PDB file of all heavy atoms in Angstrom:
ATOM      1  N   GLY Z 158      97.238  93.659 102.545  1.00 95.00           N
ATOM      2  CA  GLY Z 158      98.358  94.006 103.431  1.00 95.00           C
ATOM      3  C   GLY Z 158      98.806  95.431 103.182  1.00 95.00           C
ATOM      4  O   GLY Z 158      99.055  95.827 102.039  1.00 95.00           O
ATOM      5  N   GLY Z 159      98.880  96.215 104.263  1.00 92.00           N
ATOM      6  CA  GLY Z 159      99.375  97.598 104.151  1.00 92.00           C
ATOM      7  C   GLY Z 159     100.513  97.783 105.142  1.00 92.00           C
ATOM      8  O   GLY Z 159     100.592  97.040 106.128  1.00 92.00           O
ATOM      9  N   ARG Z 160     101.386  98.766 104.883  1.00 91.00           N
ATOM     10  CA  ARG Z 160     102.534  98.935 105.785  1.00 91.00           C
ATOM     11  C   ARG Z 160     102.085  99.284 107.210  1.00 91.00           C
ATOM     12  O   ARG Z 160     102.503  98.681 108.163  1.00 91.00           O
ATOM     13  CB  ARG Z 160     103.457 100.032 105.240  1.00 91.00           C
ATOM     14  CG  ARG Z 160     104.725  99.466 104.651  1.00 91.00           C
ATOM     15  CD  ARG Z 160     105.516 100.517 103.927  1.00 91.00           C
ATOM     16  NE  ARG Z 160     104.958 100.753 102.608  1.00 91.00           N
ATOM     17  CZ  ARG Z 160     105.197 101.830 101.879  1.00 91.00           C
ATOM     18  NH1 ARG Z 160     105.964 102.783 102.331  1.00 91.00           N
ATOM     19  NH2 ARG Z 160     104.657 101.952 100.681  1.00 91.00           N
ATOM     20  N   THR Z 161     101.209 100.313 107.296  1.00 91.00           N
ATOM     21  CA  THR Z 161     100.724 100.742 108.599  1.00 91.00           C
ATOM     22  C   THR Z 161      99.312 101.302 108.427  1.00 91.00           C
ATOM     23  O   THR Z 161      98.757 101.245 107.336  1.00 91.00           O
ATOM     24  CB  THR Z 161     101.710 101.775 109.217  1.00 91.00           C
ATOM     25  OG1 THR Z 161     101.211 102.178 110.477  1.00 91.00           O
ATOM     26  CG2 THR Z 161     101.892 103.001 108.328  1.00 91.00           C
ATOM     27  N   LYS Z 162      98.723 101.857 109.496  1.00 86.00           N
ATOM     28  CA  LYS Z 162      97.298 102.228 109.388  1.00 86.00           C
ATOM     29  C   LYS Z 162      97.059 103.335 108.361  1.00 86.00           C
ATOM     30  O   LYS Z 162      95.966 103.432 107.816  1.00 86.00           O
ATOM     31  CB  LYS Z 162      96.706 102.568 110.745  1.00 86.00           C
ATOM     32  CG  LYS Z 162      97.190 103.811 111.390  1.00 86.00           C
ATOM     33  CD  LYS Z 162      96.408 104.013 112.679  1.00 86.00           C
ATOM     34  CE  LYS Z 162      96.993 105.210 113.400  1.00 86.00           C
ATOM     35  NZ  LYS Z 162      96.629 105.269 114.781  1.00 86.00           N
ATOM     36  N   GLY Z 163      98.069 104.156 108.060  1.00 85.00           N
ATOM     37  CA  GLY Z 163      97.926 105.178 107.016  1.00 85.00           C
ATOM     38  C   GLY Z 163      97.681 104.579 105.630  1.00 85.00           C
ATOM     39  O   GLY Z 163      97.262 105.254 104.703  1.00 85.00           O
ATOM     40  N   HIS Z 164      97.999 103.289 105.481  1.00 86.00           N
ATOM     41  CA  HIS Z 164      97.812 102.602 104.197  1.00 86.00           C
ATOM     42  C   HIS Z 164      96.546 101.761 104.187  1.00 86.00           C
ATOM     43  O   HIS Z 164      96.327 100.981 103.263  1.00 86.00           O
ATOM     44  CB  HIS Z 164      99.007 101.685 103.904  1.00 86.00           C
ATOM     45  CG  HIS Z 164     100.269 102.410 103.655  1.00 86.00           C
ATOM     46  ND1 HIS Z 164     101.089 102.843 104.656  1.00 86.00           N
ATOM     47  CD2 HIS Z 164     100.854 102.805 102.493  1.00 86.00           C
ATOM     48  CE1 HIS Z 164     102.133 103.451 104.147  1.00 86.00           C
ATOM     49  NE2 HIS Z 164     102.013 103.457 102.835  1.00 86.00           N
ATOM     50  N   VAL Z 165      95.737 101.885 105.225  1.00 86.00           N
ATOM     51  CA  VAL Z 165      94.508 101.079 105.260  1.00 86.00           C
ATOM     52  C   VAL Z 165      93.327 102.012 105.035  1.00 86.00           C
ATOM     53  O   VAL Z 165      93.219 103.056 105.674  1.00 86.00           O
ATOM     54  CB  VAL Z 165      94.370 100.327 106.599  1.00 86.00           C
ATOM     55  CG1 VAL Z 165      93.076  99.532 106.634  1.00 86.00           C
ATOM     56  CG2 VAL Z 165      95.563  99.390 106.785  1.00 86.00           C
ATOM     57  N   PHE Z 166      92.487 101.648 104.101  1.00 84.00           N
ATOM     58  CA  PHE Z 166      91.357 102.508 103.744  1.00 84.00           C
ATOM     59  C   PHE Z 166      90.065 101.783 104.095  1.00 84.00           C
ATOM     60  O   PHE Z 166      90.069 100.586 104.401  1.00 84.00           O
ATOM     61  CB  PHE Z 166      91.422 102.844 102.246  1.00 84.00           C
ATOM     62  CG  PHE Z 166      91.344 101.631 101.373  1.00 84.00           C
ATOM     63  CD1 PHE Z 166      90.161 101.285 100.743  1.00 84.00           C
ATOM     64  CD2 PHE Z 166      92.440 100.805 101.211  1.00 84.00           C
ATOM     65  CE1 PHE Z 166      90.077 100.143  99.961  1.00 84.00           C
ATOM     66  CE2 PHE Z 166      92.363  99.659 100.439  1.00 84.00           C
ATOM     67  CZ  PHE Z 166      91.186  99.333  99.809  1.00 84.00           C
ATOM     68  N   ASN Z 167      88.981 102.545 104.015  1.00 83.00           N
ATOM     69  CA  ASN Z 167      87.665 101.981 104.272  1.00 83.00           C
ATOM     70  C   ASN Z 167      87.311 100.995 103.140  1.00 83.00           C
ATOM     71  O   ASN Z 167      87.248 101.372 101.988  1.00 83.00           O
ATOM     72  CB  ASN Z 167      86.688 103.169 104.278  1.00 83.00           C
ATOM     73  CG  ASN Z 167      85.286 102.738 104.466  1.00 83.00           C
ATOM     74  OD1 ASN Z 167      84.967 101.560 104.376  1.00 83.00           O
ATOM     75  ND2 ASN Z 167      84.421 103.696 104.726  1.00 83.00           N
ATOM     76  N   MET Z 168      87.091  99.764 103.490  1.00 89.00           N
ATOM     77  CA  MET Z 168      86.855  98.754 102.444  1.00 89.00           C
ATOM     78  C   MET Z 168      85.377  98.522 102.169  1.00 89.00           C
ATOM     79  O   MET Z 168      84.988  97.463 101.676  1.00 89.00           O
ATOM     80  CB  MET Z 168      87.545  97.466 102.830  1.00 89.00           C
ATOM     81  CG  MET Z 168      89.016  97.646 102.718  1.00 89.00           C
ATOM     82  SD  MET Z 168      89.928  96.236 103.156  1.00 89.00           S
ATOM     83  CE  MET Z 168      91.551  96.967 103.054  1.00 89.00           C
ATOM     84  N   LYS Z 169      84.586  99.563 102.461  1.00 91.00           N
ATOM     85  CA  LYS Z 169      83.131  99.451 102.325  1.00 91.00           C
ATOM     86  C   LYS Z 169      82.720  99.014 100.914  1.00 91.00           C
ATOM     87  O   LYS Z 169      81.820  98.189 100.751  1.00 91.00           O
ATOM     88  CB  LYS Z 169      82.533 100.825 102.638  1.00 91.00           C
ATOM     89  CG  LYS Z 169      81.102 100.774 103.038  1.00 91.00           C
ATOM     90  CD  LYS Z 169      80.667 102.102 103.639  1.00 91.00           C
ATOM     91  CE  LYS Z 169      79.261 102.394 103.199  1.00 91.00           C
ATOM     92  NZ  LYS Z 169      79.076 103.702 102.629  1.00 91.00           N
ATOM     93  N   GLU Z 170      83.402  99.574  99.910  1.00 92.00           N
ATOM     94  CA  GLU Z 170      82.989  99.259  98.534  1.00 92.00           C
ATOM     95  C   GLU Z 170      83.213  97.777  98.221  1.00 92.00           C
ATOM     96  O   GLU Z 170      82.449  97.170  97.488  1.00 92.00           O
ATOM     97  CB  GLU Z 170      83.753 100.142  97.544  1.00 92.00           C
ATOM     98  CG  GLU Z 170      83.286 101.581  97.630  1.00 92.00           C
ATOM     99  CD  GLU Z 170      84.345 102.567  97.232  1.00 92.00           C
ATOM    100  OE1 GLU Z 170      85.547 102.240  97.301  1.00 92.00           O
ATOM    101  OE2 GLU Z 170      83.969 103.695  96.858  1.00 92.00           O
ATOM    102  N   PHE Z 171      84.285  97.211  98.764  1.00 94.00           N
ATOM    103  CA  PHE Z 171      84.514  95.775  98.586  1.00 94.00           C
ATOM    104  C   PHE Z 171      83.458  94.980  99.355  1.00 94.00           C
ATOM    105  O   PHE Z 171      82.918  93.998  98.846  1.00 94.00           O
ATOM    106  CB  PHE Z 171      85.922  95.389  99.070  1.00 94.00           C
ATOM    107  CG  PHE Z 171      87.007  95.772  98.098  1.00 94.00           C
ATOM    108  CD1 PHE Z 171      87.668  96.982  98.206  1.00 94.00           C
ATOM    109  CD2 PHE Z 171      87.358  94.916  97.057  1.00 94.00           C
ATOM    110  CE1 PHE Z 171      88.655  97.333  97.308  1.00 94.00           C
ATOM    111  CE2 PHE Z 171      88.351  95.262  96.159  1.00 94.00           C
ATOM    112  CZ  PHE Z 171      89.004  96.479  96.282  1.00 94.00           C
ATOM    113  N   LYS Z 172      83.159  95.445 100.558  1.00 94.00           N
ATOM    114  CA  LYS Z 172      82.150  94.730 101.368  1.00 94.00           C
ATOM    115  C   LYS Z 172      80.794  94.801 100.673  1.00 94.00           C
ATOM    116  O   LYS Z 172      80.035  93.829 100.672  1.00 94.00           O
ATOM    117  CB  LYS Z 172      82.080  95.324 102.773  1.00 94.00           C
ATOM    118  CG  LYS Z 172      83.338  94.982 103.575  1.00 94.00           C
ATOM    119  CD  LYS Z 172      83.328  95.655 104.940  1.00 94.00           C
ATOM    120  CE  LYS Z 172      84.659  95.431 105.637  1.00 94.00           C
ATOM    121  NZ  LYS Z 172      84.991  96.453 106.604  1.00 94.00           N
ATOM    122  N   ASN Z 173      80.486  95.962 100.077  1.00 92.00           N
ATOM    123  CA  ASN Z 173      79.216  96.093  99.349  1.00 92.00           C
ATOM    124  C   ASN Z 173      79.129  95.122  98.184  1.00 92.00           C
ATOM    125  O   ASN Z 173      78.050  94.766  97.734  1.00 92.00           O
ATOM    126  CB  ASN Z 173      79.038  97.515  98.814  1.00 92.00           C
ATOM    127  CG  ASN Z 173      78.748  98.499  99.926  1.00 92.00           C
ATOM    128  OD1 ASN Z 173      78.425  98.093 101.036  1.00 92.00           O
ATOM    129  ND2 ASN Z 173      78.879  99.787  99.635  1.00 92.00           N
TER     130      ASN Z 173
END
Side-chain angles (χ1 to χ4, degrees):
R160 253 171 281 162
T161 180
K162 69 176 175 198
H164 293 84
V165 178
F166 61 101
N167 177 348
M168 289 179 186
K169 202 167 142 231
E170 289 153 337
F171 283 93
K172 289 176 187 154
N173 288 346

